[in-house]
Amino acid sequence: MAEDIQAKLEKYRTAPFDARFPNQNQTRNCWSNYLDYHRCQKALDAKGVDTAPCDWYKRVYKSLCPISWIQKWDDQREEGTFPGKI
Amino acid sequence: MAHQAHAYHMVDPSPWPLTGAVAALLVTSGTAIWFHFNSTILMTLGTMLLLLTMYQWWRDIIREGTFQGHHTPPVQKGLRYGMILFITSEVFFFLGFFWAFYHSSLAPTPDLGGCWPPAGITTLDPFEVPLLNTAVLLASGVTVTWAHHSIMEGDRKPAIQSLALTILLGFYFTFLQGLEYFEAPFTIADGVYGSTFFVATGFHGLHVIIGSTFLAVCLLRQIQYHFTSEHHFGFEAAAWYWHFVDVVWLFLYISIYWWGS
């Protein structure tokens, strides 16, 4: 399992087609992966397990999201005003 | 020929359309002046003129119809079409605000937390005062129908009582909504939730006040023997408007208060 993730991460070029977000507006795709990365981090950290699998979500949201959004959300998480549920 | 050879009403020249237009100009520009230069004189003047115009114009219509006999069947038919078209235009007015609500609530943006109600908003419990308000308006729909039947049957006292009760229920709704507005844990400035909630329910509340006023005028007219069992279109128009206000509330309740919580 972990080797698969590493293999996938090594082969990564850009965010693949996600049938959950088939249309032109990819906002939800970016948002969903941003949330999933941080939820994954939080959950695996709590279990004391290696958080490497979470990096897939990070790669995807880094590919999709505008940098200003990532910065804004990171700042909001810092000051505790992030509106999403992590 | 000293009299007309048709059943229509050729209205005598009247200054009220002009004063109404001037009032509209003063109210709108006065509001802009208030926003930018902190002076309410123009807006206040315009509002006074608007109220005077409405009072005198509708007073004249009552004189023409009730006392001078100008509201023949074809004329009344035209008035009916007019009221229906006006209410239809109001339906479209509210449709816009419902569109805005559904636009924002069906696909909530990341700024809201991707959810509806948005993160941080504590909504009102739909099964508390809002449900009572629903019951109040539905009951008022029953009492206004009771009033209508009383008028048609020529029952003067029940007509007055049921019409008065309808108006009291209308006031009760307005009072309860006022309390809700005061106690609400969110304001109009609280993002798109606050905006859609208060603009939609606010305009509805304004229409409840307008409808109550219309019904109150009908009550005064009923007391003064203006209505006959065959001819009471002013009352019918008020009743149609009141039902419209009730239906708008039902949509508001289902969409914003219930589904939107």
Side-chain angles (χ1 to χ4, degrees):
Chain A
M1 253 322 264
E3 304 81 26
D4 283 332
I5 305 285
Q6 291 300 355
K8 271 167 101 173
L9 282 168
E10 241 142 87
K11 285 196 309 160
Y12 187 89
R13 303 300 294 271
T14 191
F17 173 72
D18 189 337
R20 296 176 299 165
F21 315 105
N23 297 321
Q24 182 177 347
N25 188 335
Q26 292 289 294
T27 303
R28 203 82 187 176
N29 195 350
C30 148
W31 172 251
S32 188
N33 279 285
Y34 183 88
L35 284 180
D36 286 344
Y37 170 70
H38 289 93
R39 287 173 182 166
C40 175
Q41 281 283 96
K42 186 174 173 199
L44 296 190
D45 263 343
K47 287 212 231 154
V49 164
D50 176 32
T51 62
C54 302
D55 280 340
W56 173 261
Y57 300 119
K58 184 166 194 175
R59 292 293 204 90
V60 173
Y61 87 67
K62 286 254 180 226
S63 302
L64 292 172
C65 300
I67 296 172
S68 61
W69 291 13
I70 300 173
Q71 274 170 356
K72 182 176 77 185
W73 293 337
D74 287 346
D75 291 341
Q76 284 176 334
R77 281 187 306 110
E78 274 285 320
E79 51 174 90
T81 58
F82 183 67
K85 193 143 161 261
I86 292 189
Chain B
M1 280 269 252
H3 55 267
Q4 63 193 40
H6 60 82
Y8 295 98
H9 184 195
M10 302 303 289
V11 185
D12 288 331
S14 164
W16 313 132
L18 180 61
T19 61
V22 171
L25 173 66
L26 292 180
V27 167
T28 48
S29 54
T31 306
I33 298 282
W34 175 41
F35 288 166
H36 293 275
F37 303 112
N38 198 30
S39 161
T40 56
I41 177 80
L42 220 58
M43 187 179 70
T44 313
L45 193 60
T47 310
M48 295 293 107
L49 190 54
L50 183 62
L51 290 168
L52 281 171
T53 302
M54 292 194 290
Y55 174 74
Q56 290 173 109
W57 195 338
W58 282 322
R59 175 208 62 194
D60 284 356
I61 294 173
I62 292 172
R63 286 173 174 175
E64 293 158 3
T66 306
F67 304 134
Q68 296 176 343
H70 287 291
H71 289 181
T72 60
V75 171
Q76 210 195 114
K77 194 149 171 256
L79 292 170
R80 284 174 190 277
Y81 277 130
M83 192 63 194
I84 288 173
L85 288 171
F86 172 65
I87 291 177
T88 305
S89 77
E90 294 250 78
V91 169
F92 282 107
F93 179 71
F94 277 97
L95 229 46
F97 297 120
F98 278 99
W99 182 355
F101 169 73
Y102 279 112
H103 175 99
S104 296
S105 58
L106 284 169
T109 61
D111 317 271
L112 307 174
C115 55
W116 193 274
I121 295 282
T122 25
T123 60
L124 300 172
D125 186 341
F127 299 111
E128 297 203 343
V129 175
L131 187 58
L132 174 59
N133 270 342
T134 305
V136 168
L137 282 186
L138 286 174
S140 73
V142 169
T143 55
V144 80
T145 305
W146 173 19
H148 191 195
H149 284 268
S150 300
I151 291 174
M152 290 191 289
E153 314 274 296
D155 280 339
R156 179 181 165 76
K157 205 148 141 249
I160 290 170
Q161 287 174 342
S162 49
L163 188 43
L165 185 51
T166 308
I167 295 164
L168 281 174
L169 287 167
F171 284 165
Y172 188 35
F173 176 93
T174 305
F175 169 73
L176 287 168
Q177 267 299 63
L179 284 185
E180 283 284 274
Y181 271 30
F182 188 71
E183 298 286 340
F186 53 86
T187 73
I188 197 173
D190 284 323
V192 76
Y193 185 86
S195 299
T196 50
F197 181 90
F198 284 106
V199 169
T201 62
F203 271 118
H204 173 261
L206 177 63
H207 284 69
V208 171
I209 293 169
I210 292 169
S212 301
T213 309
F214 196 170
L215 288 167
V217 168
C218 288
L219 179 59
L220 289 173
R221 294 185 67 201
Q222 162 66 7
I223 290 171
Q224 295 180 319
Y225 300 92
H226 287 202
F227 298 136
T228 73
S229 54
E230 306 279 299
H231 189 169
H232 44 262
F233 176 65
F235 173 82
E236 287 182 70
W240 290 350
Y241 195 80
W242 192 250
H243 287 304
F244 156 71
V245 160
D246 187 9
V247 170
V248 170
W249 170 259
L250 294 175
F251 278 99
L252 280 175
Y253 181 74
I254 304 279
S255 306
I256 297 183
Y257 285 91
W258 195 351
W259 177 82
S261 70

